[in-house]
Amino acid sequence: MKVTEPEDALPYIALYRATIDEAVGGAGALMTRLVAHVRSGLREAESQCRERRERDRLTNSRRSLNQFETSLAQRFKDELLNAFTRQSSVDRAMPALGDVHFDQVGQMDDSQLQDSLDAARVKHAVQQAADSALGELNDLICTMLGLKVVQLERNPLRPGVYVEAVTAALSHLPVPATTRQAWILMMSRALGQELDIYYRSLCEDLRERGVGAGAATQPPPRAKGTLSGDTRQSEPVVTLERLRRLLADVPRVDDNPGSMRFSSVASAPDPQSDFASSQMGPTDFRPTVPAAFDALRDMQQVDAVVQRLQERRDVAVSASDAPRTLDRLRQSALGMEQALSIEVVAMMVDNITHDPRLLAPVQDLVAALEPALLQLAMVDPRFFSHKQHPARRLLHEITHRSIAYESVDSRGFSGFMEPLREAVAPLATGPVDTAEPFDQALERLVALLDDASGQEQRQLARAVAALRQAEQRNTLAATIVADIQESAGAGHVPEAVRVFLCGPWAQVVAHARIADTSGAMDPGDYAQTIDDLLWCVEPGREGADRETLRSLLPVVQARLRAGLSSIDYPPEQAADLFQTLADLLLHGSLPAPAPSPPGTEAEPAARDSMWLAPTEAQLSGFIDLSTVVQPLPTAASAHALQVGVWVALLAEGGWTRTRMSWASPNGTLLLFTDALGFMQSLSRPSCEKLFAAGHLRVISSDPVEDALDAVAQVAVRNSVDIRF
């Protein structure tokens, strides 16, 4: 596999590095200016404050800020550097700065909700102030990174990264949370202005240095989470607080979780409550039903509502009915919770059907499911709060598997779509008042798509077993290499011998120890062979030593050949070593090796390489990039790789979409499988190199979760807009 060298892929490598270094170098002065802005604001507030207690609070806040100014400037510099290098990491337990995930909203307490809203306000304010010059900077940065299309998230200097660094720096200060939050809000006003000035100056400087607009500008991103057409309410229905209630207030589940039905939560044997639980199934939400029926009973309209709900359940809907179904359900919603659930489903489907990663036939199929999903949302709130809900899993299977295909002409796509349509067809023709129809559709789909013969699973199991064995052997070999490098004689032998011992022979010793079942201290005498070989090749053997050497060398050679055979190591790759031993037999001694340059390591190849035996490599499709020089790191990071994520991989001259299907226990080996079952494996360092060279990029982990996360972002924005 050919990997483009960094000077070919990134012609502005030195300038890019200098730009990042300059940004980090100027961080301290930037924080000093931000502190000055806050100090000025606090002093002005003090002068205008008439209430003594509040004035004292402002004074103490200003004095604390002065006290921490120096340490804050240094901390901000460190945090900014960290943010530049880790911005693509997905290891954080909670999203920062208002980037709230849908499934985490229900777990928020009041403090976390308020923090998310405050953080969103800060990001919004900074983004607005710096937005005018940001577009050109995104283009120039992406050009320096060698990207053909502008990708906003690849610009490490974007406002969100600065906001994250400011927030992280302030979070370490021993001050009350209210004081810290006040400082952040005040700094946001100045930070946006500072970044706007900085962006304009940087763009001018980059242009003068020869950076042109080389990346194609993407059209303005669609506001994910908003509805197409004139369907927005005069006031937003979806806010963060309402969404939290929707996800938190979920009724109890029956003992059989597969049924996805809910136990009734009637507080009294009221006939209307009995209807709500037994006749309608899991319809409305626990806080809503009693209050809604009490109000309706007072208005003597219960019968009309019951009739309307009955009609809604009995009418079969199709894809062409989706807009009409949406309007009808909006009108018949009982309370804010049902209205909210309808809007969330509509926004989720809208996001999925506009997701550019999904092909048009898949988008159309999801659009056809909207009426059924809307009906489900009215009666089953578990859809929103449980990822394992059959409807969520069905959407996941449809969208996630479809990412394997880059176009409708991709091999296997037509065969993929046929079982999808067959599995979901009943959902478009029957009423939905429980999760059961989705459960049945999911079973049909899995049965149709999964390999009935199990051949693919057996092939995957063999590859996993081979990679597990390789990781175990390489881990043990690393400790053996460390022992060899620390031995007294290792520094006085030829380079070919050191490379051999720290490479293939360490693998031989490790394999023998793992495979041995006899309990021998040194299976095959392979560890002893290390000492024998080091003694044999030590320069200056004379007299009796030469006789011992001539008698020992054949034994050592026999062990070497047997050991290499045990791991299927190609003999031709050890040719240099055996030539050295032949010279030793012929001449009786070897010249002293040239001393290594100061600061060099005895065995650089063994440090980063992950060696697989030919059979292991064949079973797992291993791609060895251990000899490729590490290119310039970019904003992407291999930490974003998790089991289940789809990636685009440049291999053998062409791009292919493949899914990470397994990671070894220590995370050093990753296995990828494409839609046709073709497998490839890589070491994690190799993935880092491919990321940096632009030859490996993450496509998606789950379009459904992304669509729901976009709904959460809309809820945050709506909440921020209300507060503004």
Side-chain angles (χ1 to χ4, degrees):
M1 177 178 177
K2 183 180 184 298
V3 176
T4 306
E5 291 300 319
E7 56 265 27
D8 298 328
L10 303 175
Y12 302 104
I13 180 173
L15 180 56
Y16 178 84
R17 284 176 171 155
T19 301
I20 299 301
D21 290 343
E22 289 172 4
V24 174
L30 173 58
M31 177 55 71
T32 298
R33 295 194 295 274
L34 296 180
V35 169
H37 175 83
V38 176
R39 181 166 48 235
S40 175
L42 290 172
R43 185 177 290 112
E44 181 179 356
E46 287 178 63
S47 64
Q48 297 177 357
C49 185
R50 297 182 178 180
E51 207 278 321
R52 180 176 178 180
R53 179 176 299 179
E54 177 64 13
R55 186 169 59 251
D56 290 344
R57 186 190 66 80
L58 293 169
T59 301
N60 291 334
S61 176
R62 179 170 52 82
R63 290 174 177 172
S64 295
L65 185 64
N66 292 338
Q67 176 185 355
F68 296 115
E69 179 176 1
T70 301
S71 61
L72 186 58
Q74 181 58 49
R75 186 79 194 195
F76 175 62
K77 181 178 180 179
D78 296 339
E79 292 293 346
L80 192 61
L81 177 60
N82 291 337
F84 287 161
T85 57
R86 73 165 187 261
Q87 60 179 291
S88 294
S89 174
V90 294
D91 297 331
R92 288 173 292 195
M94 286 291 291
L97 308 176
D99 293 336
V100 180
H101 293 315
F102 184 86
D103 286 320
Q104 295 170 327
V105 174
Q107 305 169 11
M108 286 183 172
D109 57 26
D110 291 341
S111 175
Q112 290 172 321
L113 184 140
Q114 186 60 49
D115 287 346
S116 294
L117 292 179
D118 288 343
R121 294 181 66 194
V122 170
K123 179 182 286 187
H124 176 78
V126 174
Q127 183 78 29
Q128 288 291 102
D131 196 52
S132 60
L134 183 59
E136 182 180 6
L137 181 62
N138 287 330
D139 191 351
L140 295 173
I141 291 293
C142 289
T143 297
M144 288 196 291
L145 289 174
L147 302 175
K148 301 300 183 184
V149 177
V150 173
Q151 301 177 31
L152 307 183
E153 71 279 2
R154 297 293 292 273
N155 178 8
L157 304 178
R158 63 186 185 273
V161 176
Y162 275 86
V163 174
E164 180 178 347
V166 168
T167 304
L170 288 168
S171 68
H172 294 279
L173 298 181
V175 297
T178 53
T179 300
R180 183 185 304 112
Q181 193 61 33
W183 290 352
I184 292 175
L185 291 174
M186 296 177 72
M187 284 184 180
S188 67
R189 302 163 192 161
L191 179 59
Q193 298 171 358
E194 290 282 347
L195 289 180
D196 184 58
I197 296 172
Y198 170 58
Y199 290 164
R200 293 177 186 276
S201 175
L202 180 58
C203 287
E204 182 178 355
D205 181 61
L206 292 177
R207 288 195 304 270
E208 290 178 353
R209 292 171 180 251
V211 182
T217 303
Q218 292 175 322
R222 183 172 174 275
K224 296 183 71 177
T226 60
L227 298 178
S228 302
D230 187 18
T231 59
R232 294 296 300 271
Q233 310 293 326
S234 57
E235 292 185 5
V237 173
V238 184
T239 63
L240 193 59
E241 173 58 34
R242 289 171 177 172
L243 192 59
R244 181 178 67 161
R245 286 206 307 268
L246 175 66
L247 296 178
D249 294 328
V250 177
R252 293 181 290 109
V253 185
D254 285 341
D255 293 337
N256 178 13
S259 67
M260 291 298 173
R261 289 185 174 273
F262 296 85
S263 302
S264 60
V265 198
S267 57
D270 181 80
Q272 304 300 339
S273 297
D274 288 343
F275 175 83
S277 60
S278 61
Q279 296 296 324
M280 292 164 50
T283 53
D284 307 309
F285 299 90
R286 181 173 52 191
T288 307
V289 175
F293 272 98
D294 287 343
L296 290 170
R297 192 166 47 242
D298 293 341
M299 299 167 60
Q300 300 182 350
Q301 292 181 349
V302 174
D303 291 342
V305 171
V306 170
Q307 181 179 359
R308 187 165 68 244
L309 293 175
Q310 184 71 29
E311 291 173 352
R312 185 182 69 217
R313 188 176 74 245
D314 292 342
V315 175
V317 294
S318 64
S320 60
D321 293 326
R324 184 161 51 87
T325 301
L326 177 59
D327 292 338
R328 185 172 67 249
L329 293 181
R330 278 174 172 160
Q331 294 171 4
S332 62
L334 293 176
M336 179 55 67
E337 282 77 6
Q338 284 199 342
L340 179 61
S341 67
I342 293 171
E343 297 305 321
V344 171
V345 168
M347 294 163 68
M348 176 198 70
V349 172
D350 188 63
N351 286 325
I352 295 175
T353 56
H354 287 83
D355 192 328
R357 298 166 298 188
L358 304 179
L359 299 176
V362 179
Q363 295 175 344
D364 294 342
L365 187 69
V366 174
L369 288 174
E370 183 176 27
L373 291 167
L374 288 168
Q375 292 178 86
L376 177 71
M378 295 287 286
V379 298
D380 193 348
R382 189 180 171 91
F383 169 78
F384 300 110
S385 58
H386 291 71
K387 286 187 176 181
Q388 296 306 309
H389 189 284
R392 288 270 289 267
R393 290 178 57 201
L394 178 65
L395 287 173
H396 169 80
E397 290 293 330
I398 293 172
T399 59
H400 188 64
R401 293 189 189 225
S402 72
I403 294 177
Y405 305 97
E406 190 170 3
S407 74
V408 294
D409 298 323
S410 296
R411 183 182 174 190
F413 179 71
S414 59
F416 167 75
M417 285 301 300
E418 290 176 6
L420 257 61
R421 295 189 180 100
E422 179 181 343
V424 305
L427 290 172
T429 59
V432 175
D433 52 12
T434 70
E436 187 174 355
F438 287 91
D439 203 9
Q440 294 171 349
L442 179 63
E443 290 181 3
R444 289 192 298 270
L445 180 62
V446 172
L448 290 169
L449 289 180
D450 285 355
D451 181 13
S453 66
Q455 180 179 354
E456 185 176 327
Q457 290 300 318
R458 289 193 295 272
Q459 183 182 2
L460 180 64
R462 289 193 294 268
V464 167
L467 293 175
R468 283 183 182 274
Q469 174 178 282
E471 182 182 63
Q472 184 182 11
R473 187 186 60 251
N474 276 273
T475 300
L476 180 56
T479 65
I480 296 170
V481 169
D483 293 339
I484 294 173
Q485 291 176 336
E486 292 176 1
S487 63
H492 306 287
V493 298
E495 178 68 13
V497 176
R498 289 201 303 272
V499 170
F500 174 79
L501 289 177
C502 293
W505 197 249
Q507 299 282 337
V508 168
V509 178
H511 173 76
R513 292 180 181 176
I514 293 172
D516 179 66
T517 58
S518 66
M521 293 293 294
D522 182 13
D525 292 330
Y526 293 143
Q528 178 61 42
T529 303
I530 297 174
D531 295 332
D532 292 343
L533 185 58
L534 289 175
W535 185 88
C536 287
V537 299
E538 186 176 344
R541 295 291 176 203
E542 297 181 358
D545 282 350
R546 290 191 178 182
E547 293 302 320
T548 303
L549 176 67
R550 292 183 182 277
S551 62
L552 182 59
L553 269 178
V555 177
V556 171
Q557 287 178 317
R559 288 191 206 143
L560 292 178
R561 297 187 187 280
L564 293 176
S565 176
S566 71
I567 63 170
D568 296 328
Y569 193 83
E572 61 273 12
Q573 293 187 21
D576 288 346
L577 172 74
F578 285 104
Q579 183 61 50
T580 298
L581 297 181
D583 292 343
L584 187 58
L585 279 173
L586 180 63
H587 301 292
S589 64
L590 292 174
S596 300
T600 60
E601 299 181 18
E603 179 43 59
R607 183 182 67 251
D608 298 323
S609 62
M610 173 69 69
W611 183 82
L612 268 68
T615 54
E616 295 167 341
Q618 182 178 8
L619 284 171
S620 63
F622 183 66
I623 301 174
D624 185 10
L625 300 181
S626 59
T627 60
V628 177
V629 178
Q630 173 69 49
L632 170 70
T634 67
S637 167
H639 293 297
L641 289 175
Q642 294 181 324
V643 172
V645 71
W646 283 96
V647 303
L649 174 65
L650 180 61
E652 299 179 355
W655 286 96
T656 181
R657 290 191 176 189
T658 185
R659 183 177 67 90
M660 182 174 163
S661 53
W662 179 81
S664 62
N666 293 337
T668 58
L669 286 169
L670 310 178
L671 181 65
F672 299 86
T673 310
D674 68 11
L676 301 177
F678 179 72
M679 291 183 298
Q680 293 172 306
S681 61
L682 288 157
S683 69
R684 187 168 288 275
S686 292
C687 288
E688 296 283 359
K689 293 174 182 178
L690 291 173
F691 258 123
H695 293 168
L696 179 66
R697 61 176 184 269
V698 173
I699 301 174
S700 173
S701 56
D702 192 330
V704 177
E705 301 308 314
D706 291 345
L708 288 172
D709 287 346
V711 173
Q713 292 305 305
V714 171
V716 172
R717 290 200 298 270
N718 287 342
S719 301
V720 170
D721 290 343
I722 291 173
R723 288 172 178 261
F724 278 149

